[in-house]
Amino acid sequence: MNFSEQQVETLAPDAASLKAGKALSNANQWLVKQINERVLWGEIKGSGSKPYRTQIDLQNIAYKCSCPSFKFPCKHGIGLMMAFAKQPTLFSKTDIEPDWVKEWMDKRSQKAEKKAEVSTPISSDNDEKASKSKEKRQNERLLQVEGGIAELELWLKDLLRTGFLSLPSKGVQYFEQTAARMVDAKATGLAGRVRAFRDLNYLHNNDWQKESLRIAAELFLLIEAFKNASKLSPEWQQSLKNLVGWNQSSKELLQNHDAEKVKDIWIALGQEQQESEGIIVQRNWLWGTKTNRSALILNFGTPYSPLENVILPGTFIEAELAFFPAVLPHRAVIYLQKGFVEKLDTIPEMLDDWTAAFQYRSELLSKYPFVNDIPMIIKCLRFVLNQKKHILCDENKYYHEISLSWTEEKMLTLYAYAGSTPVNLAGVFRRDGFLPLGIVEGDNYLML
């Protein structure tokens, strides 16, 4: 498996770790540096009497190092990957793994096999008790959520009655108080939508009226849909629960025989990480080259617990994904990962232009009006600066703005690589614009 320095940088837990890792990226600093199809390992002199032993699982990206660092990956893990990215010919290839590498990898393989197995209940009585206990907890939570929704509906009607022109004069506490009430009612998804009013830029954004109307309309639609959920399909009921704030269990999904599973060669299009209310959310967008299915894999962490990063952006992963049930099944987890492939044998289907992209988005909205981030690959887009606005123009001279969340560094990378030359661009269609993730070029993928 090969990976670039840019891909390794996305795995660093912070800037300090990345800087320290780069300092260890010279392969000649490593006393031992070896690789085979499943694992990369090395030894490097540390502060102790014995060298630090660093190893990286290449099939299901994971790291282990004998250093005392609590960061994952540590600077030695980053340094070893960067050393291989820079100077792969200096790493000797061997199928013979030292005991400390073989033991770790064998344990990981056994753990992965057990994870894929469905656990058998000890007894039917215990299973029945657990089922009743779970149903009781769900009913209690449902009552709490319904009470919170009733309060939120009154709050929203009062807001509409007084008019949106009064929104800029309302303090932060006005919105935060209602959001906190939704958290107490176990409806964290609704709390986030209330906070969206709070976070609008009322002073320097002339579109705040339009945005506040959109937030209110979606919130009202969600409230009405949840109140009538019993009349809807199981997929709609589950999707509404997710929007309101119910968490989805990856463990239960992996143990569900009926879960939708899709095998494919997946392009890891890109990764985005955000922190909100003390929770770190990492989004990984994947695209199936044969099925043309998109998938979103979420990882969660806190400032005190590292993210479990098993996806290397920009790579091609041969894997079977399990999808959570939903109106539009999109979020998934890795059910079984076979490894990485070097080149694509199937070029993914692409949308011809912005007209096709908007049509595709309209079709999804007609099925599920709460859809937001939509991965897509669009042919022949040019990067253009138009009156200080960054836009992407197709061959028919139709254009769409670039998302505000896109960094200037990535913008310069795109411009340096393509200039004004059209490229096949993969990205995420958002409300505020298109978020570019990478370029599809033949059987290769260049991550931005």
Side-chain angles (χ1 to χ4, degrees):
M1 173 192 176
N2 293 322
F3 38 72
S4 67
E5 296 177 54
Q6 183 187 21
Q7 291 169 341
V8 176
E9 288 178 7
T10 64
L11 302 176
D14 52 47
S17 298
L18 178 59
K19 183 178 180 181
K22 286 183 176 179
L24 302 173
S25 62
N26 188 332
N28 293 321
Q29 296 183 67
W30 291 82
L31 306 176
V32 173
K33 43 188 183 294
Q34 294 182 305
I35 189 173
N36 59 33
E37 289 185 357
R38 71 171 188 165
V39 62
L40 171 71
W41 71 93
E43 294 185 17
I44 191 169
K45 179 64 178 175
S47 56
S49 58
K50 296 181 179 180
Y52 292 135
R53 291 174 167 178
T54 307
Q55 46 199 318
I56 300 159
D57 183 346
L58 298 176
Q59 302 300 314
N60 297 278
I61 297 298
Y63 331 89
K64 185 179 181 182
C65 185
S66 60
C67 76
S69 174
F70 290 102
K71 295 180 179 179
F72 295 92
C74 65
K75 64 180 181 180
H76 305 102
I78 297 172
L80 183 62
M81 284 189 286
M82 283 207 163
F84 180 69
K86 287 181 176 180
Q87 301 165 295
T89 56
L90 298 184
F91 284 70
S92 59
K93 296 183 178 180
T94 175
D95 292 330
I96 302 174
E97 300 168 354
D99 291 342
W100 55 276
V101 173
K102 188 176 186 303
E103 182 181 356
W104 180 64
M105 287 299 298
D106 289 346
K107 284 183 178 179
R108 285 188 55 78
S109 297
Q110 293 171 8
K111 185 178 179 181
E113 290 174 2
K114 289 180 180 179
K115 189 176 181 181
E117 293 176 356
V118 178
S119 59
T120 304
I122 298 175
S123 71
S124 58
D125 290 340
N126 290 339
D127 186 52
E128 185 177 353
K129 288 180 180 178
S131 179
K132 289 182 178 180
S133 178
K134 182 179 180 180
E135 184 179 357
K136 180 180 178 182
R137 291 195 303 270
Q138 289 178 340
N139 290 335
E140 290 175 349
R141 179 175 182 179
L142 182 59
L143 289 174
Q144 286 182 290
V145 170
E146 288 176 343
I149 284 180
E151 289 187 33
L152 182 60
E153 186 175 15
L154 290 174
W155 179 85
L156 184 59
K157 287 180 177 179
D158 287 340
L159 186 64
L160 294 172
R161 191 178 299 112
T162 56
F164 285 174
L165 290 178
S166 63
L167 282 176
S169 62
K170 297 184 183 296
V172 172
Q173 187 61 29
Y174 174 79
F175 302 105
E176 192 56 41
Q177 184 176 0
T178 302
R181 176 65 189 98
M182 293 303 102
V183 173
D184 292 340
K186 306 293 177 58
T188 53
L190 298 179
R193 291 177 181 269
V194 171
R195 290 190 176 107
F197 284 111
R198 178 200 66 184
D199 297 335
L200 287 176
N201 187 349
Y202 295 104
L203 294 178
H204 303 102
N205 183 6
N206 294 328
D207 291 335
W208 69 262
Q209 297 98 329
K210 181 174 66 176
E211 280 298 300
S212 59
L213 181 60
R214 179 190 61 77
I215 296 168
E218 283 194 2
L219 191 53
F220 184 77
L221 180 62
L222 178 54
I223 290 172
E224 288 298 306
F226 192 84
K227 286 162 57 178
N228 294 279
S230 60
K231 302 176 183 178
L232 302 175
S233 67
E235 292 78 16
W236 260 107
Q237 292 180 26
Q238 185 60 56
S239 294
L240 291 173
K241 281 187 173 182
N242 296 338
L243 291 171
V244 169
W246 265 265
N247 294 325
Q248 294 175 298
S249 171
S250 298
K251 182 179 179 180
E252 290 182 3
L253 178 66
L254 292 172
Q255 294 178 345
N256 183 3
H257 282 300
D258 298 326
E260 181 187 15
K261 299 181 180 69
V262 180
K263 295 180 181 179
D264 208 335
I265 304 296
W266 302 88
I267 305 175
L269 296 178
Q271 187 180 91
E272 181 183 54
Q273 188 167 302
Q274 294 178 330
E275 182 176 350
S276 177
E277 307 296 330
I279 302 296
I280 302 170
V281 180
Q282 182 192 82
R283 298 178 180 89
N284 296 276
W285 288 285
L286 277 65
W287 190 276
T289 56
K290 298 177 180 179
T291 60
N292 286 294
R293 285 282 299 269
S294 63
L296 172 66
I297 295 181
L298 297 180
N299 292 321
F300 299 94
T302 69
Y304 308 102
S305 61
L307 287 161
E308 183 183 351
N309 195 346
V310 297
I311 297 174
L312 189 62
T315 56
F316 309 136
I317 307 169
E318 184 178 2
E320 183 175 7
L321 302 187
F323 284 81
F324 288 97
V327 177
L328 295 177
H330 180 49
R331 189 186 163 196
V333 297
I334 296 178
Y335 180 75
L336 181 64
Q337 183 171 332
K338 292 186 177 180
F340 297 86
V341 297
E342 297 294 333
K343 300 289 184 181
L344 296 176
D345 58 4
T346 303
I347 307 303
E349 291 184 6
M350 308 178 197
L351 298 170
D352 290 332
D353 48 31
W354 282 121
T355 301
F358 275 89
Q359 179 63 34
Y360 176 58
R361 179 173 178 265
S362 297
E363 291 173 0
L364 295 183
L365 283 170
S366 67
K367 298 175 183 177
Y368 186 62
F370 302 103
V371 68
N372 184 12
D373 290 358
I374 306 173
M376 53 181 67
I377 306 174
I378 307 174
K379 294 180 183 177
C380 301
L381 295 183
R382 291 186 298 111
F383 177 74
V384 178
L385 181 62
N386 181 37
Q387 297 179 356
K388 297 184 179 181
K389 287 186 177 181
H390 299 98
I391 62 174
L392 295 167
C393 187
D394 65 17
E395 292 187 316
N396 298 317
K397 296 184 179 180
Y398 290 108
Y399 69 89
H400 193 47
E401 293 185 10
I402 293 178
S403 172
L404 298 175
S405 57
W406 208 40
T407 64
E408 184 177 355
E409 179 184 0
K410 292 183 177 181
M411 199 174 298
L412 291 174
T413 301
L414 173 59
Y415 194 70
Y417 179 82
S420 58
T421 304
V423 292
N424 303 323
L425 202 59
V428 178
F429 198 119
R430 288 182 162 168
R431 291 191 181 97
D432 70 338
F434 190 76
L435 176 68
L437 296 175
I439 297 170
V440 178
E441 191 175 70
D443 58 2
N444 288 313
Y445 181 73
L446 173 67
M447 191 185 69
L448 297 173

